[in-house]
Amino acid sequence: MPMHPTGEPALLEQRREAGSDFACLAKKITAAGLMRRRPWYYLLRMSLVAGLYAGGWAAFAAVGDSWWTLAVAAFLAVVFGQVALVAHDVGHRQVFRLRRASAWTGRIAGNLGIGMGYGWWQDKHSRHHANPNHEELDPDVEPDVLVWTRGQARKATGLPRLIGGSQAYLFFPLLALEGFNLHVAGVRALANRSLKQRRLEGVLLFAHFALYLSALFLVLPPGKAVAFLAVHQCLFGLYLGSIFAPNHKGMPTLTGDERPDFLRRQVLTSRNVRGGWFTDVALGGLNYQIEHHLFPSMPTPHLRRAQPIVRRYCQELNVGYLETGLFTSYRQALSSLHAAGAPLRTATARATPE
């Protein structure tokens, strides 16, 4: 993979490198009208998601004290994932021009709607976009539970060291805990005084928890309420994790001063997923991860139209552009995780007495 050490220059300077490759692509995209807002699309999409959200809770109340409520839990897990995808697009300023409107909508959808700290997520996700798959700069590849490279495995301690050797087998079961992790991370972020609108974030977040738990334990007996909570939150985490896992896992990682120019940094660390309309809906357009990373504020319905332009341009520059099927993307991610854990398996084998 071509590398261009650049230290820590400003983002604008990064984009001017390599003969303004990104600037040339941006002109093509703008000329095609693909950066224009799509207010009617988002009005329809957000109305549909809000209707499904309300309908899901109405079905929960109508089904009542019955084990069929677990089917409603599964349905609401998908709806919560779609709400998270709306919050994602709002956070990237794809929907509203004004920051205030974006922030309010994001907090209502994230904090109040699904119990995800919008401010915490936006900060984390912005750092990921700036330096995807960079071991020191991308929070998504920090070795908090899993190790993403052999170098991390050799330095691993605690839980990553304990499970790292088997992490490929544990990856999807661990995703089932991602919903709970989002709630905990959102609450923990409230202790950060630099968090914008910290009180509002907290009020909306705890309002969600209060309304959610009250609904469960008022409508259902304790056993069914706990079962609903487990099924709903685990499937929500699994769905959400399955949306984001194909995007970068198993792609090249960067470290230290490895800093390609902006275009190559985004393209070479991202993977697209092939599919039709169902894939587009299920993954919220993030199956066009390369185009999304190059143009984060591009409205979701334009990503499909941008793909042939970006792919052709990358071919002209001889920049690797990876696109796979969904299951192939998961296989590549799991293979990468298994390879990353190799040093820990070797260490365990050496420590095991014959």
Side-chain angles (χ1 to χ4, degrees), residues 40-334:
W40 292 109
Y41 163 82
Y42 278 108
L43 177 61
L44 177 61
R45 178 179 167 186
M46 293 168 70
S47 298
L48 180 59
V49 170
L52 292 173
Y53 186 95
W57 285 113
F60 168 77
V63 171
D65 184 5
S66 166
W67 285 111
W68 283 106
T69 194
L70 298 186
V72 179
F75 172 77
L76 278 172
V78 176
V79 174
F80 268 44
Q82 288 294 316
V83 173
L85 288 170
V86 168
H88 170 272
D89 287 8
V90 168
H92 279 298
R93 306 286 292 277
Q94 296 177 17
V95 184
F96 303 105
R97 294 183 184 277
L98 298 179
R99 186 181 301 275
R100 184 179 179 85
S102 298
W104 268 103
T105 305
R107 291 188 181 108
I108 291 172
N111 295 56
L112 185 60
I114 60 176
M116 178 187 76
Y118 176 75
W120 159 81
W121 170 83
Q122 189 178 42
D123 173 71
K124 176 176 178 287
H125 196 61
S126 296
R127 288 185 286 129
H128 157 72
H129 263 265
N131 293 282
N133 270 23
H134 193 291
E135 288 188 44
E136 288 87 35
L137 302 174
D138 182 357
D140 287 354
V141 291
E142 291 178 355
D144 51 353
V145 176
L146 305 175
V147 292
W148 306 103
T149 65
R150 295 191 179 201
Q152 289 181 345
R154 295 186 185 97
K155 301 175 184 177
T157 59
L159 186 59
R161 183 173 185 82
L162 179 65
I163 70 172
S166 305
Q167 62 183 8
Y169 303 100
L170 298 173
F171 181 65
F172 281 104
L174 286 171
L175 286 184
L177 303 177
E178 183 60 23
F180 297 104
N181 178 57
L182 288 178
H183 303 321
V184 172
V187 172
R188 291 177 61 183
L190 297 175
N192 184 357
R193 293 185 178 275
S194 65
L195 180 67
K196 295 179 180 179
Q197 297 293 319
R198 188 160 59 112
R199 290 186 180 180
L200 177 60
E201 292 255 350
V203 167
L204 293 176
L205 200 57
F206 284 103
H208 168 83
F209 298 146
L211 291 170
Y212 180 85
L213 294 174
S214 296
L216 263 57
F217 286 93
L218 286 175
V219 173
L220 301 175
K224 286 190 178 75
V226 171
F228 183 100
L229 186 149
V231 170
H232 177 228
Q233 294 296 327
C234 287
L235 289 181
F236 168 51
L238 184 61
Y239 176 43
L240 202 60
S242 297
I243 292 172
F244 288 94
N247 301 339
H248 303 280
K249 307 312 179 191
M251 297 302 292
T253 55
L254 308 176
T255 186
D257 292 333
E258 293 179 328
R259 297 270 301 200
D261 64 275
F262 179 80
L263 183 142
R264 288 162 179 80
R265 185 161 72 248
Q266 303 301 334
V267 174
L268 295 173
T269 60
S270 302
R271 176 198 293 110
N272 276 15
V273 176
R274 288 191 296 267
W277 68 267
F278 180 80
T279 305
D280 289 359
V281 172
L283 302 187
L286 296 183
N287 43 314
Y288 304 104
Q289 188 67 193
I290 294 173
E291 288 72 28
H292 170 62
H293 258 257
L294 287 170
F295 304 98
S297 61
M298 178 183 290
T300 293
H302 288 171
L303 294 171
R304 174 184 282 273
R305 294 169 54 194
Q307 184 185 34
I309 300 174
V310 174
R311 182 168 50 200
R312 184 167 55 251
Y313 188 72
C314 288
Q315 290 171 348
E316 293 172 359
L317 294 177
N318 197 27
V319 174
Y321 182 104
L322 181 60
E323 185 180 21
T324 71
L326 181 61
F327 292 106
T328 300
S329 73
Y330 291 138
R331 184 169 65 251
Q332 291 177 352
L334 293 176

